[in-house]
Amino acid sequence: MQRFTDENIREFEIRHNEILRRIAPECTVLLKKNGDFPLNGPCKVALYGNGARETIKGGTGSGDVNVRHFVTVEEGLENAGFEVTSKSWMDQYAACKAGETVRFYQKIREEAERDKKSVLAAALGKTPDEPEYDLPVDADADVCIYVLARNSGEGSDRQMKKGDFLLTDIEVRDIIQCADKYDKFMLVLNVGGPLDISPVKDEVDNILLLGQLGTVTGEVLADIVLGKANPSGKLTATWAKAEDYTVIMDYDLNDTCYKEGIYVGYRNFDAGEAKPVFPFGYGLSYSEFNTEIINSDLTDSIVTVSVRITNTGKYPGKKAVILYYSAPQGKLSKPAREIGTYAKSGELNPGESEEIVLKLPLENMASYDEGKHAWILEKGDYLITIDETKACAVRLDDETRVSSANCLNISTGFEDRKEHTDPASVNGIPLFTVNADSLTDIGHFDRSRIAYPERKEIDLSSFTDEELIRTCIGRYDPNSGTSIIGNAGNVVAGAAAESADFLSDKGFGKLVLADGPAGLRLATSYILNEKGAFGNEFASAENIVQFLDEPLKSALQAKIDTMKKISESAQKYYQFTTAIPIGTALAQSFNPEVAEVCGDIVGEEMGIYGVNVWLAPALNIQRSPLCGRNFEYYSEDPVVSGLTAAAIVRGVQKHDKCAVTIKHFACNNQEYNRFGSNSIISERTLREIYLKGFEICIKQSAPKCIMSSYNLLNGTHTANHYDLLTTVLRDEWGFDGVVMTDWGTTDDGFNMGIHGPSDSALCIMAGNDWIMPGNNKNYVRITEALEKGELNREDLEKCAGRILALSKEIA
């Protein structure tokens, strides 16, 4: 691999940022407008809010991307020629925030000591509260922009409190004052997911969901304000008042019952009386568009709707359209509507039109019948709409079985929520009648399937039992325990893990794994010595030291001191990567091409720096707006999640020697007690909501790896769940890649809750090939299980064989 010793990597950095700046406006959502924007040119701007200078490019945790530089809102506007007249306010706010941050970390230390937890564990995912202040919003300016920011991350969930899901009293006060004082005012939301903005919604005429767009966040806002770019995204999650969410995670219990069933997100709001502040699929544009349905057809069991989109406004722009279906009510309770597919126009100038075609196979409208262990289409009328306009309907004369499934023998102890909606009227629209007998065994999500390539079996006869075990637990040092940040290895500085060292002696290449999903997470600088590459960024490591308990604290500090001394005379190398928009923002584009381009950027950087496996994309369902990791995920809808993830996978894996790891499989819908939370969920809900996106992604893009989640599923750790990892994933869906654990799930050194850690031997039996990051406890446990006959060599060979096949393919 090439080592970069100076700024000769800036060329591709610039190119990647230019690409992102061009496509990222599609990820932003214009929520309100009155015609004051875009502006004619740069001017004096009063800039307020916690995200004005401390702009958030993406959330915290393993998904954070270490970039050379990213552009804040303040910098982006100034680079575009604006004069920021509120510097004094931002300076004073920064001082208030700094004081609150000191108090916050002191409180974390006190709580950790009280609860007898490590300070690092207590601090993970938490962010300082918003400070109290009384600063005048009185700068002289032609226009005002208030940037409201919220941060979150893995290890901790959001809360229904002021300064998090709710606005603080100060934020409400200042936003309303700005709206009253300045003739032109825009509220900009630099957030990773919904929050309750109902106190200010009616007081503000222009609201932009900027989101968290990675490296180019501030530049994109400047382009949008000046009309060089036009927002064209739509919401992939429902925004509502705090009190109107009925699906809120149970934070106080180890067992979380998904009693809402399939009524998640917009399905919930469509079935209830509460009206969202901004509904799923909502999004405006600077321009106006007319959407005309020009033809509907049913051929070969595929519904086809042709739509003409015309730009009737004053600005160039793009328009996304969503095809929904409403299934008939029968034995199975059905939502009022569900997404079938979607499409987006190219950029249309005023007066221009484009015809786009949306296709939906009938089998994709099937529901899962637990009693029959099958996906079925029930008798009745299936209404097809484009956004809110009726397009056509399909009348099925009898029930038909689409495809069979393996019985998972799930018993939750409760009944799922059931709703009944009135039959949709199909009068005045094309109606296609279908004989159920003609639809027998038509498959499920299979028409666009990408098959896994034929794989040559690996001869493991020369491998000892010990070597098979070591293959399945990654690269680890037998003389030390589990690394707190993953076993980084020594080939690529800052990587998350590597395959076992001894495999090179047997002719297998080194697999290097790096974190995601908002880009490639590596050390930006490093040094080389006889043992390999080591990150040279001491500031971040020293920040971690203060949160550790002995003996980890002393051990890490000693390592930092040693590396500092070595680095004084060592040659430095660099590996700057690009932060792409967070997952939710990518999905909001409603354009798979945007996601694929971002995957292409990541894949190119993987090749540049020698990374084989990217630990992304993440596509869990946003069950509740409070999940701390929602910003990494795409949507509350499984179709949006699956199609977006599939596009990312295609973008990455079209690069030679590159693989993705879709995650977290499955039902990783809360971060509280994430190692020990137990998701209790019916089979129908599991298949229709929480597995569906993974199934779509696997069948449309053939990802090479998948990561099991931390949580338990119906009482069994997902890493030990045979039905999940083998019965469904491999036997039903045909997944032919590597399954790995999330980091540390088998390690009882973490706070595992009442259920304890997953079992490394059971991982192998379940088909979880790779135990990450690997340690002596894993080795001893698997060895004992093999000796006692609990585990057989054949299971080990299957798991090791898949890892080695991946190595042969991409290392």
Side-chain angles (χ1 to χ4, degrees), residues 132-154:
E132 295 285 332
Y133 57 86
D134 190 10
L135 305 174
V137 288
D138 59 359
D140 179 53
D142 303 304
V143 64
C144 177
I145 296 175
Y146 189 103
V147 185
L148 179 70
R150 289 290 187 270
N151 209 355
S152 62
E154 67 172 310

Side-chain angles (χ1 to χ4, degrees), residues 23-29 209-210 213 232-233 581 585-586 588-589 594:
I23 64 175
E26 292 196 48
C27 304
T28 66
V29 185
L209 172 55
L210 177 66
L213 304 177
S232 63
L586 287 180
Q588 286 171 177
S589 72
V594 169

Side-chain angles (χ1 to χ4, degrees), residues 192-507:
L195 67 163
D196 185 352
I197 64 169
S198 58
V200 300
K201 178 197 173 187
D202 294 336
E203 307 294 328
V204 178
D205 293 329
N206 297 282
I207 304 176
L208 175 72
L209 172 55
L210 177 66
Q212 297 165 352
L213 304 177
T215 309
V216 298
T217 301
E219 291 174 313
V220 172
L221 177 61
D223 289 342
I224 289 173
V225 169
L226 290 173
K228 296 180 180 179
N230 193 341
S232 63
K234 291 175 177 282
L235 294 179
T236 61
T238 305
W239 285 47
K241 295 180 180 179
E243 61 267 26
D244 289 339
Y245 285 99
T246 60
V247 182
I248 300 299
M249 292 180 294
D250 200 343
Y251 289 92
D252 299 322
L253 299 177
N254 289 281
D255 299 313
T256 302
C257 297
Y258 288 48
K259 294 181 179 179
E260 73 280 356
I262 62 174
Y263 291 93
V264 178
Y266 67 87
R267 293 166 172 80
N268 167 55
F269 284 91
D270 286 349
E273 296 181 359
K275 299 299 180 185
V277 176
F278 294 110
F280 177 96
Y282 178 82
L284 305 174
S285 166
Y286 283 150
S287 201
E288 304 295 333
F289 294 89
N290 179 60
T291 303
E292 179 188 4
I293 299 170
I294 56 178
N295 187 51
S296 299
D297 180 55
L298 178 65
T299 303
D300 295 331
S301 303
I302 297 177
V303 176
T304 301
V305 180
S306 300
V307 176
R308 181 181 292 114
I309 299 173
T310 303
N311 185 341
T312 60
K314 299 186 296 182
Y315 302 99
K318 298 183 177 184
K319 170 72 172 177
V321 292
I322 304 174
L323 184 152
Y324 294 95
Y325 66 88
S326 300
Q329 298 295 328
K331 179 183 70 174
L332 301 177
S333 174
K334 310 288 197 335
R337 58 177 180 147
E338 298 180 74
I339 284 188
T341 188
Y342 50 86
K344 196 169 193 177
S345 73
E347 182 156 287
L348 301 175
N349 290 317
E352 282 190 331
S353 298
E354 179 182 346
E355 182 178 331
I356 61 177
V357 178
L358 299 98
K359 293 180 177 291
L360 180 66
L362 292 184
E363 62 264 32
N364 288 11
M365 295 189 286
S367 302
Y368 189 77
D369 188 321
E370 295 176 340
K372 297 178 179 178
H373 312 303
W375 292 88
I376 65 170
L377 289 165
E378 291 197 282
K379 175 183 178 179
D381 293 340
Y382 291 78
L383 175 66
I384 306 298
T385 61
I386 300 297
D387 294 332
E388 297 180 359
T389 303
K390 294 180 180 180
C392 64
V394 176
R395 178 167 291 167
L396 188 61
D397 68 351
D398 202 356
E399 179 184 303
T400 187
R401 178 187 295 253
V402 169
S403 60
S404 299
N406 294 313
C407 176
L408 301 183
N409 295 311
I410 292 173
S411 177
T412 62
F414 58 80
E415 285 194 7
D416 284 356
R417 171 183 173 187
K418 293 181 173 61
E419 295 289 342
H420 182 84
T421 57
D422 294 331
S425 171
V426 297
N427 294 331
I429 56 176
L431 177 64
F432 306 100
T433 301
V434 176
N435 185 294
D437 292 337
S438 67
L439 301 179
T440 304
D441 296 325
I442 55 178
H444 187 63
F445 300 130
D446 284 336
R447 296 205 184 195
S448 56
R449 182 175 191 121
I450 297 177
Y452 283 89
E454 288 277 340
R455 187 180 69 197
K456 186 177 180 180
E457 292 299 320
I458 305 294
D459 182 6
L460 297 174
S461 60
S462 66
F463 276 67
T464 66
D465 290 348
E466 177 189 2
E467 288 172 334
L468 290 176
I469 296 170
R470 289 180 60 194
T471 299
C472 292
I473 56 178
R475 178 187 186 272
Y476 77 100
D477 182 354
N479 299 314
S480 66
T482 302
S483 166
I484 61 168
I485 53 173
N487 236 3
N490 62 359
V491 175
V492 177
E498 293 177 2
S499 54
D501 288 337
F502 82 93
L503 292 172
S504 60
D505 296 332
K506 289 185 169 289

Side-chain angles (χ1 to χ4, degrees), residues 85-104:
T85 61
S86 54
K87 296 279 190 179
S88 175
W89 187 96
M90 287 190 283
D91 291 341
Q92 293 177 76
Y93 172 81
C96 294
K97 185 68 174 181
E100 179 59 39
T101 300
V102 171
R103 290 187 290 272
F104 168 78

Side-chain angles (χ1 to χ4, degrees), residues 660-673:
V660 304
T661 308
I662 61 173
K663 63 182 186 182
H664 305 87
F665 192 62
C667 301
N668 191 109
N669 307 116
Q670 65 189 71
E671 288 295 294
Y672 173 80
N673 189 28

